[in-house]
Amino acid sequence: MQHRRLGRSGLKVSEITYGNWITHGSQIEQDAAVACVRAALDAGITTFDTADAYAETRAEQVLGRALAGVRRESVEVLTKLYWPTGPGANERGLSRKHIMNAAHASLRRLGTEYIDLYQAHRFDEDTPLEETLRAFDDLIRQGKVLYVGVSEWTAAQISEAVEIADGLGLDRMVAHQPQYNMLHRTIEAEVVPVCLEAGIGQIVYQPVAQGVLAGKYLPGESAPAGSRATDPTGSEFIQRLLREEILERVQRLQPLADEAGLSMAQLAIAWVLQQPGISSAIVGASRPEQITNSAAASGVKLDPSLLQTIDAILGDCVVRAA
């Protein structure tokens, strides 16, 4: 397993991050979750991503129990806040009140004294950005958070946050967590250039497009039983990718993966890791062998001609504008 600096910070993250968005606490039980985390650790993965909103806070609890007994200094624990975690008006968003309450709740659920990277899950239009950044900085000063980042922010929002942090002498964000894969490349035009200039690394989710780029969904056939597309907790996010044209073009990538000696999932992850500004790719798993397979993409170098062929095959199926 290779490691990379997170942006220009001193923090090293594993090229593959294990994430538990719709698995821990919802799709799979504790024993299976522990087995997947152990497989991740065995593969050399040290970076683990979750969020307080995943599985209505259960995902953090499951991850915390799965990492119990692991030497804390040997792993990087990432979590996020923004989405509602309760019925109250202040149990959502990025106000100082919610940030402080949410951070302490996450620390309890994760069973840890500090969070390596604490991320704003979305931008909050209802809270002054300075208030959010000061609250994050206070958590850093208290030692409860080591670094801060954001998820799915625009280039303009990121630029404004960097400018405010610099003006007030606050710690800058070091990470951005967007959706990014061969089929979804909206960050390339504006977000990546802004982040490269500011020293912000991308920790991207859905590098395999929820299994579509793994080739598990075939044109003209129903989705396999038990797959993401048939699970009510995840199917709404994948339906837009199950068009016949997309599935047909993805199948044309199989010979390229075979020639490179990779699985389709490994090809998709290696492609992501070879793009500018990427620090790590988040992968999920419901079975240990899935995370072992994904982890093998670390360190793989794809030939530039192969990257060009992939672009030509996918063509106008690629989403490039938000």
Side-chain angles (χ1 to χ4, degrees):
M1 177 59 56
Q2 303 292 312
H3 283 69
R4 298 183 178 186
R5 288 176 63 190
L6 183 52
R8 285 202 297 267
S9 78
L11 182 66
K12 304 291 198 311
V13 292
S14 49
E15 285 190 334
I16 310 298
T17 292
Y18 180 72
N20 71 349
W21 166 37
I22 57 173
T23 51
H24 290 186
S26 54
Q27 286 186 342
I28 62 175
E29 300 300 324
Q30 180 72 39
D31 289 348
V34 170
C36 288
V37 168
R38 294 297 169 182
L41 293 167
D42 289 343
I45 292 172
T46 62
T47 310
F48 295 85
D49 178 78
T50 187
D52 60 5
Y54 294 167
E56 299 176 335
T57 73
R58 294 190 302 276
E60 284 186 329
Q61 297 174 35
V62 172
L63 180 61
R65 288 195 292 266
L67 289 174
V70 175
R71 191 166 59 88
R72 182 64 181 87
E73 293 80 5
S74 68
V75 294
E76 303 82 49
V77 177
L78 288 47
T79 192
K80 300 180 286 292
L81 85 153
Y82 169 80
W83 299 111
T85 52
N90 289 305
E91 294 180 273
R92 65 201 67 202
L94 299 177
S95 67
R96 169 176 286 275
K97 178 177 175 62
H98 184 53
I99 287 174
M100 294 301 177
N101 289 341
H104 289 108
S106 288
L107 289 168
R108 288 193 299 271
R109 287 189 291 265
L110 289 164
T112 183
E113 294 181 353
Y114 67 91
I115 296 163
D116 292 275
L117 177 67
Y118 200 35
Q119 303 157 98
H121 215 154
R122 292 295 186 272
F123 187 83
D124 186 356
E125 299 284 357
D126 293 331
T127 300
L129 187 49
E130 179 179 331
E131 177 180 335
T132 296
L133 298 178
R134 283 190 181 277
F136 275 160
D137 197 72
D138 285 346
L139 288 171
I140 292 175
R141 302 292 158 237
Q142 294 167 11
K144 295 171 183 176
V145 168
L146 304 187
Y147 300 88
V148 294
V150 300
S151 177
E152 294 291 5
W153 282 29
T154 67
Q157 291 163 349
I158 292 169
S159 293
E160 184 183 2
V162 169
E163 183 179 351
I164 290 174
D166 287 351
L168 297 175
L170 309 176
D171 270 30
R172 278 188 182 188
M173 69 174 76
V174 301
H176 178 236
Q177 187 175 130
Q179 179 185 171
Y180 187 59
N181 55 58
M182 292 179 184
L183 292 167
H184 189 91
R185 301 171 62 172
T186 60
I187 63 172
E188 291 180 348
E190 297 181 357
V191 171
V192 169
V194 163
C195 288
L196 284 172
E197 182 178 353
I200 297 168
Q202 309 294 319
I203 301 180
V204 307
Y205 67 91
Q206 293 185 20
V208 190
Q210 299 192 58
V212 170
L213 288 170
K216 66 190 296 183
Y217 301 102
L218 302 176
E221 297 186 14
S222 300
S227 66
R228 184 72 55 84
T230 61
D231 191 291
T233 61
S235 60
E236 64 179 289
F237 297 97
I238 196 174
Q239 293 304 320
R240 64 184 181 276
L241 297 173
L242 298 180
R243 303 198 325 263
E244 287 294 297
E245 181 184 12
I246 291 177
L247 299 182
E248 288 171 359
R249 296 202 192 191
V250 167
Q251 287 304 307
R252 290 167 57 189
L253 300 178
Q254 182 69 65
L256 304 181
D258 293 341
E259 186 176 350
L262 303 170
S263 70
M264 289 277 279
Q266 289 166 351
L267 177 68
I269 296 168
W271 181 93
V272 163
L273 291 173
Q274 206 151 321
Q275 305 307 309
I278 306 300
S279 294
S280 185
I282 301 173
V283 301
S286 56
R287 302 188 306 276
E289 59 268 24
Q290 292 174 324
I291 194 69
T292 302
N293 179 275
S294 296
S298 176
V300 171
K301 300 301 180 187
L302 304 178
D303 190 89
S305 63
L306 175 55
L307 299 177
Q308 292 173 358
T309 303
I310 290 171
D311 285 348
I313 288 173
L314 296 179
D316 58 7
C317 285
V318 177
V319 177
R320 297 181 183 274

